[in-house]
Amino acid sequence: DADVTQTPRNRITKTGKRIMLECSQTKGHDRMYWYRQDPGLGLRLIYYSFDVKDINKGEISDGYSVSRQAQAKFSLSLESAIPNQTALYFCATSGGQGASYEQYFGPGTRLTVT
Amino acid sequence: GENVEQHPSTLSVQEGDSAVIKCTYSDSASNYFPWYKQELGKRPQLIIDIRSNVGEKKDQRIAVTLNKTAKHFSLHITETQPEDSAVYFCAASKNQGAQKLVFGQGTRLTINP
């Protein structure tokens, strides 16, 4: 679904480096999410945002921060990357009150921390 | 908080047979249960969902059943085809404004020709 895009698609970085993953959407959705996917662990919620002024921690927010720069943009930062943050990261969006509950995922960013 | 357990972790069936994947949840307040399919190298996509006021929902070859008393729900795929091969994730949510989904661990389904 080209309506949700993520950059970069792949990234290799070193321990201790700061890195930012970006997500943009053209679906006009209010709600945006960041998940990480690890083999055998499913998708785990890192942060989510109702709208530009609302940021909420998910299940595994330690070591991560986010910024909602605009309704269409939601960025995830790793302030000081560590190897166990190596994972596949997905951004997702969903509509506002009264809309479908479906979450639309971006293509993912594969992050490797060495 | 909510915990979702999904079984089995891998499932292999012959083409044309049925496949069943089961999930249990811990929070009785959860009332929305979607299933996502993730093909190899692709993003997860919603295939079917059910709300707690419904016991069963069907869409062509896929169906989902919900047992609120036992706190479990299942995905049923009939007449399986090679394109059904993928990883399937169940999830649960309390539908509190933002859809804060808690996902199961995933089931890798392989359809053998």
Side-chain angles (χ1 to χ4, degrees), chain A residues 6 15 18 23 28 38 40 46 57 60 66 68-69 81 83-84 106 110:
Chain A
Q6 293 182 231
T15 298
R18 183 179 189 277
C23 177
D38 299 277
I46 306 172
K57 293 182 177 181
I60 53 165
V66 291
R68 186 83 183 265
Q69 301 95 323
N84 76 359
R110 186 166 296 281

Side-chain angles (χ1 to χ4, degrees), chain A residues 3-70:
Chain A
D3 293 338
V4 185
T5 57
Q6 293 182 231
T7 56
R9 295 292 312 277
N10 289 281
R11 180 72 182 266
I12 300 173
T13 192
K14 294 186 182 298
T15 298
K17 294 291 188 181
R18 183 179 189 277
I19 183 168
M20 178 181 289
L21 309 182
E22 298 185 334
C23 177
S24 294
Q25 53 108 351
T26 59
K27 300 186 78 68
H29 286 166
D30 295 328
R31 295 158 191 183
M32 299 187 74
Y33 314 81
W34 275 105
Y35 293 93
R36 67 176 278 175
Q37 183 176 23
D38 299 277
L41 294 177
L43 292 150
R44 292 181 292 167
L45 184 64
I46 306 172
Y47 272 95
Y48 63 103
S49 171
F50 281 51
D51 60 36
V52 175
K53 296 180 181 179
D54 178 82
I55 302 289
N56 302 279
K57 293 182 177 181
E59 302 171 65
I60 53 165
S61 59
D62 287 350
Y64 302 95
S65 62
V66 291
S67 173
R68 186 83 183 265
Q69 301 95 323

